[in-house]
Amino acid sequence: MQKVIVLDFGAQYGQLIARRVRDLRVYSEIMPCDTPAAEIAAAEPSAIILSGGPASVYADDAPELDPAIFDMGLPILGFCYGQQIMAKTLGGVVGHTEVGEYGPATIERVAPSRLLDGTPEEQTVWMSHRDAVAKVPEGFTITSSTSVCPVASMECAERNLYATQFHPEVRHSTYGTQMLSNFLFGICGLEPSWSMDNLIDNLVDEVRAKVGDNRVILGLSGGVDSSVVGALLSRAIGKQLTCVFVNHGLLRKNEPEEVEEVFTKQFDVDFVHVHAEERYAKLLAGVTDPEQKRKIIGTQFWEEFFTVAQKLDGVKFLAQGTIYPDIIESGARKTGGKASTIKSHHNLIPFPEGVHFDLIEPLDHFFKDEVRALGTALGLPDHIVWRQPFPGPGLAIRIIGDVTPEKLEILKNADAVVREELDAYNALLFEETGERNSEHSCWQYFAVLPDIRSVGVMGDERTYQRPVIVRAVESTDAMTADWAKLPYDVLGKISSRIVAEVPGVNRVVYDCTPKPPGTVEWE
Ligand code: XMP
C-alpha cells in the first residue's frame, strides 16, 4: 500500500496533515520527528511530510530530525517548522522576522513552482510563525513571498524537496488542497486509491494472518470503537471471536438489549452477556465519592472480564478498540516522543497473576470519523455508529450521591426522553445542514439526577420530589465545550414530558455552564 509518513514536530497540525492526505485517498501515518531514517525506510513510504511545530529551530531543546532522510531519495514536503528545519539542515539560514505573521496572509508567487502549480499568482494562506528562512540552501529556489516573509515557499525540484512557511493543511489556505494534490499526485506520482472497501479487505487479511487458528476475546461496551472492532473481527474470523459484554446495569435505557441484538442476530460471533448488575449494585451501595465510584466500576469490569476469559479455551488474543488519537494523545508523540513509550497505555490492563493475552488493535491507525465510516461499511446500525460519547462508569457518575435502584430507574427514564427529543432535534439539523456535527447540533446530551428534592404542585397535590438536570453541549473533542443554545420549545417539550412521564420527578432545570469552568459530566 502506498503510504506517506508525516514526521511530527509537536504541532497541533500533525494530525490534520495526516487527515488531509487521507482525504485525498492516500494512506498516511504519523511518526515522531526523530525517527531514524532506517526505521522510516523500513515502513516503505512513498514520501515524507515534515509538520509544523511550536519550537524555534535554534532553541536548546528544538526537535531534531535524522538528516539522513534527505538522502533517501524520497520526495519531502515541509510546512512551517518543517520548512525551517529543512533549510537549516541543508545549509540555509533561519532567523527571526521583525514582525511575526499569525492568521491569513497574502503570498505572491515569484518563480515557477511544481508545488504551487495551477494556483493564482496572489492567494491567501494561513501563517503562524515568528522565525523564518532568511537564506535558502544551495540549489533551492524561492517560489513565493509575503510582504514580511521573503521565503513563503521554496523548492529544489531536482531533489524533490519542497517547503512552505505557511500551512497548506489548514482550510484557510485557499489553495492548500491543490498544493497537497500537486505534491501527492504530480510530484510523487501516487494514486488516489485508498478506499473504505480495500481498507476493509486489507484489515481482514491482516487480522487473519495474525490470529491464525487462535481465539480472540473482546470486551464489548456498546460504544463505537469496540463495536467496530467486533464487526470487523466478525468479518475476519467469525466464531473464533468471543465478545464479552459486561452489563453493569449503568447503561442507558434499552442499550444492553440493543448491543445483544446486533451481536447475536446481525454478526455471527460468540456473544457472552455477563449479567453483573447485582454485583455492581452491591459494590456501589452507599458510595458517594465520584472517584471511588469510578474506581469500583473500573476494577470490577476487569474482574468480570477475566473471570470469563479464563474459562475460555485457546484464547491467545485480547482485542481492543484503541484508535489513532488514543495513541498520539497518550503523550508520547509530543515533541521528540519515542516509539517505545507510545504503547505505555497497554500497561493499564490489569492482567491477573499468570494471565496474559497478546493485544490486537485493528483500529489503532484510524481517526474517529474513519472508524465510523468503517462501522457503516461493515453494516453496523446508525445508533451504534453515531452513538454519542458515553463515560465508562455510565449513569453512576450522573447520579449525584449514592446509586440506588430507584434513582437509576428515574434517571434512565428521564434520560430516554432527553435523548429522544434531542436525537430528533439533531436529525432536523442534519437534514438542514447535511452535517452530523454541525455548529449548533448537540454533541453530547443527557440527564443528571442531583441528590435533592424540591416542592412542587401536581393536580391539587403538593409534591416533594426530585429535579432532573438536562445537560446538552456543543463540542468537538470534549476538551472544551459550550452549553447548547437549544430552542425554548425543545427545552419546554423535554421538561413537560419528563415531569409527565417519569414518576418521582417534579422539576426540570437546564445546565447553562460551558467547560471550563464546568465539566461535561457532573461527577
Ligand atoms: P468531562 O466531564 O471531564 O468529560 O468534561 C469529558 C468527556 O469525557 C467523558 N468522561 C468519561 N469517559 N470515563 C470515560 O470513559 C470517565 O470516567 C469519564 N468521565 C468523563 C465525558 O462523557 C465527556 O465526553
Side-chain angles (χ1 to χ4, degrees):
M1 179 172 52
Q2 295 180 326
K3 166 189 324 176
V4 172
I5 298 286
V6 177
L7 289 185
D8 183 8
F9 288 90
Q12 63 205 2
Y13 303 105
Q15 286 193 42
L16 199 53
I17 297 172
R19 287 309 333 265
R20 292 282 177 263
V21 174
R22 290 185 187 193
D23 284 346
L24 291 168
R25 300 185 49 206
V26 174
Y27 182 65
S28 172
E29 265 181 31
I30 302 174
M31 287 187 162
C33 57
D34 58 353
T35 308
E39 208 175 297
I40 297 173
E44 300 183 356
S46 306
I48 297 174
I49 298 181
L50 313 175
S51 84
S56 159
V57 279
Y58 292 119
D60 284 344
D61 55 353
E64 295 285 346
L65 50 62
D66 180 349
I69 66 164
F70 292 106
D71 302 323
M72 290 168 71
L74 289 175
I76 301 182
L77 174 61
F79 300 153
C80 194
Y81 187 89
Q83 164 163 289
Q84 295 164 17
I85 194 135
M86 184 187 289
K88 180 178 164 238
T89 309
L90 298 176
V93 177
V94 177
H96 267 320
T97 44
E98 277 181 22
V99 204
E101 273 182 309
Y102 301 96
T106 303
I107 56 163
E108 198 177 323
R109 294 180 53 177
V110 295
S113 158
R114 291 183 76 190
L115 188 68
L116 306 182
D117 206 21
T119 71
E121 290 299 307
E122 268 192 20
Q123 56 186 291
T124 305
V125 297
W126 193 258
M127 288 281 196
S128 179
H129 70 108
R130 183 157 263 289
D131 289 356
V133 175
K135 182 169 171 284
V136 298
E138 211 181 303
F140 275 74
T141 314
I142 299 173
T143 52
S144 71
S145 310
T146 73
S147 54
V148 293
C149 177
V151 189
S153 59
M154 62 178 198
E155 63 189 52
C156 175
E158 301 85 76
R159 294 181 66 190
N160 262 341
L161 303 177
Y162 301 82
T164 66
Q165 181 54 58
F166 53 88
H167 291 273
E169 76 277 25
V170 174
R171 291 268 183 241
H172 306 279
S173 292
T174 318
Y175 295 91
T177 306
Q178 171 77 49
M179 294 172 202
L180 260 183
S181 298
N182 286 347
F183 179 69
L184 298 173
F185 309 123
I187 294 166
C188 305
L190 297 173
E191 293 285 326
S193 58
W194 192 64
S195 73
M196 222 17 95
D197 285 341
N198 58 34
L199 171 64
I200 291 177
D201 290 346
N202 283 346
L203 285 171
V204 163
D205 288 348
E206 274 172 32
V207 168
R208 283 187 185 147
K210 181 161 182 182
V211 170
D213 295 336
N214 293 292
R215 296 196 62 83
V216 180
I217 189 168
L218 165 70
L220 205 57
S221 68
V224 183
D225 305 337
S226 64
S227 298
V228 174
V229 173
L232 177 69
L233 294 189
S234 152
R235 165 98 47 116
I237 56 168
K239 290 265 189 201
Q240 279 167 262
L241 171 69
T242 299
C243 291
V244 179
F245 172 57
V246 176
N247 184 350
H248 52 20
L250 305 165
L251 285 182
R252 292 169 292 189
K253 193 172 179 178
N254 296 333
E255 263 184 332
E257 294 77 9
E258 285 167 3
V259 174
E260 175 155 357
E261 163 100 13
V262 169
F263 284 94
T264 51
K265 304 239 165 79
Q266 202 183 332
F267 293 98
D268 191 23
V269 298
D270 181 27
F271 182 85
V272 182
H273 189 145
V274 182
H275 283 284
E277 298 96 313
E278 283 183 15
R279 289 188 287 279
Y280 272 93
K282 264 196 202 131
L283 286 166
L284 288 170
V287 179
T288 55
D289 177 62
E291 285 314 306
Q292 212 189 332
K293 284 185 195 174
R294 277 197 171 77
K295 203 163 167 214
I296 290 170
I297 295 165
T299 309
Q300 185 63 17
F301 170 81
W302 290 113
E303 179 76 34
E304 300 281 348
F305 182 82
F306 284 118
T307 304
V308 176
Q310 283 174 276
K311 283 189 200 144
L312 297 171
D313 277 339
V315 178
K316 181 160 192 280
F317 294 98
L318 169 62
Q320 290 248 103
T322 313
I323 67 171
Y324 208 16
D326 299 334
I327 290 181
I328 300 167
E329 283 154 21
S330 64
R333 293 269 164 123
K334 298 223 172 85
T335 310
K338 295 279 189 295
S340 58
T341 52
I342 286 166
K343 298 277 174 186
S344 60
H345 66 292
H346 292 173
N347 302 336
L348 298 177
I349 300 173
F351 288 115
E353 226 10 66
V355 174
H356 178 79
F357 298 110
D358 290 347
L359 289 185
I360 176 163
E361 299 177 297
L363 306 181
D364 65 354
H365 278 83
F366 300 105
F367 293 103
K368 192 80 181 187
D369 51 344
E370 293 168 337
V371 171
R372 289 194 214 276
L374 256 176
T376 299
L378 286 162
L380 280 171
D382 269 4
H383 68 80
I384 289 188
V385 168
W386 290 98
R387 185 183 191 258
Q388 49 170 314
F390 186 68
L395 300 181
I397 59 165
R398 294 177 180 172
I399 291 175
I400 313 301
D402 62 343
V403 179
T404 65
E406 179 227 350
K407 287 183 187 173
L408 257 176
E409 183 66 14
I410 292 177
L411 185 60
K412 280 185 189 174
N413 288 325
D415 186 73
V417 172
V418 174
R419 279 197 291 148
E420 222 176 281
E421 292 301 327
L422 293 184
D423 281 350
Y425 172 71
N426 266 349
L428 263 183
L429 286 180
F430 177 44
E431 237 169 65
E432 275 171 25
T433 62
E435 285 175 53
R436 290 268 182 190
N437 288 312
S438 67
E439 199 181 342
H440 296 294
S441 60
C442 305
W443 188 73
Q444 202 172 357
Y445 40 97
F446 52 87
V448 177
L449 192 67
D451 204 17
I452 52 171
R453 286 167 201 265
S454 77
V455 172
V457 57
M458 269 177 174
D460 291 335
E461 295 215 4
R462 176 187 182 277
T463 56
Y464 187 55
Q465 295 181 333
R466 297 182 181 280
V468 158
I469 296 156
V470 176
R471 181 74 164 143
V473 296
E474 295 166 7
S475 179
T476 47
D477 55 8
M479 302 294 284
T480 60
D482 198 3
W483 59 283
K485 312 296 182 298
L486 296 176
Y488 286 155
D489 57 341
V490 173
L491 281 171
K493 188 156 178 217
I494 291 173
S495 167
S496 55
R497 275 197 60 194
I498 291 178
V499 173
E501 294 173 28
V502 184
V505 177
N506 65 352
R507 195 180 288 273
V508 174
V509 300
Y510 188 48
D511 179 354
C512 50
T513 323
K515 170 185 179 176
T519 47
V520 174
E521 304 289 347
W522 270 55
E523 284 200 336

